[in-house]
Amino acid sequence: MGKEIVDSKFLESMADRRPFMKRMFTVFISQEPKRIQSIKDALSSGDVEKLRHLAHSLKGGAATIGVERVRECCLQLENACKAGDLDKAMTLMDDLEEEMRNAYEFMFNYLAEH
């Protein structure tokens, strides 16, 4: 994926709202691992509707703070759910976990530097 981990234009637009960004990133880091676990559980139990709902809510959360690649993964995961394609969803889950790791790393660095 050619997109940045966190959209730099978004970060620039938030430059004068660093405390807000730091709070948003902190919440993301503390809460999203639980949601990722729920997504994995829904996937392994084949609960497509729950999986779609969780992917949709994570997509919204990611979009709010400019985490474009996670948002994109969630969109694809949502579409796979709508199509009932669990094999595709499994593959996308791997992508999503990798992008979440990238996002956490970016956020930890951001928090350390600001």
Side-chain angles (χ1 to χ4, degrees), residues 53-101:
H53 174 73
L54 288 164
H56 180 76
S57 54
L58 176 55
K59 182 180 76 179
T64 305
I65 54 172
V67 190
E68 275 300 302
R69 296 198 320 210
V70 169
R71 189 195 66 76
E72 183 69 28
C73 281
C74 289
L75 179 62
Q76 291 179 10
L77 192 53
E78 228 184 319
N79 290 336
C81 290
K82 284 177 189 163
D85 188 345
L86 284 178
D87 289 339
K88 175 91 171 138
M90 288 274 187
T91 306
L92 291 166
M93 187 70 228
D94 292 339
D95 295 346
L96 177 58
E97 285 193 278
E98 187 180 334
E99 290 306 341
M100 288 298 281
R101 279 192 294 276

Side-chain angles (χ1 to χ4, degrees), residues 27-45:
V27 167
F28 192 88
I29 290 165
S30 64
Q31 307 215 327
E32 295 310 332
K34 287 196 286 280
R35 184 154 29 197
I36 290 294
Q37 189 55 54
S38 298
I39 289 174
K40 286 166 82 167
D41 293 345
L43 183 57
S44 60
S45 67

Side-chain angles (χ1 to χ4, degrees), residues 7-43:
D7 182 50
S8 56
K9 287 190 185 69
F10 174 76
L11 283 177
E12 280 167 31
S13 75
M14 298 301 284
D16 55 349
R17 298 182 68 193
R18 283 224 175 94
F20 174 74
M21 280 309 292
K22 287 169 77 170
R23 207 161 51 242
M24 295 289 282
F25 283 173
T26 304
V27 167
F28 192 88
I29 290 165
S30 64
Q31 307 215 327
E32 295 310 332
K34 287 196 286 280
R35 184 154 29 197
I36 290 294
Q37 189 55 54
S38 298
I39 289 174
K40 286 166 82 167
D41 293 345
L43 183 57

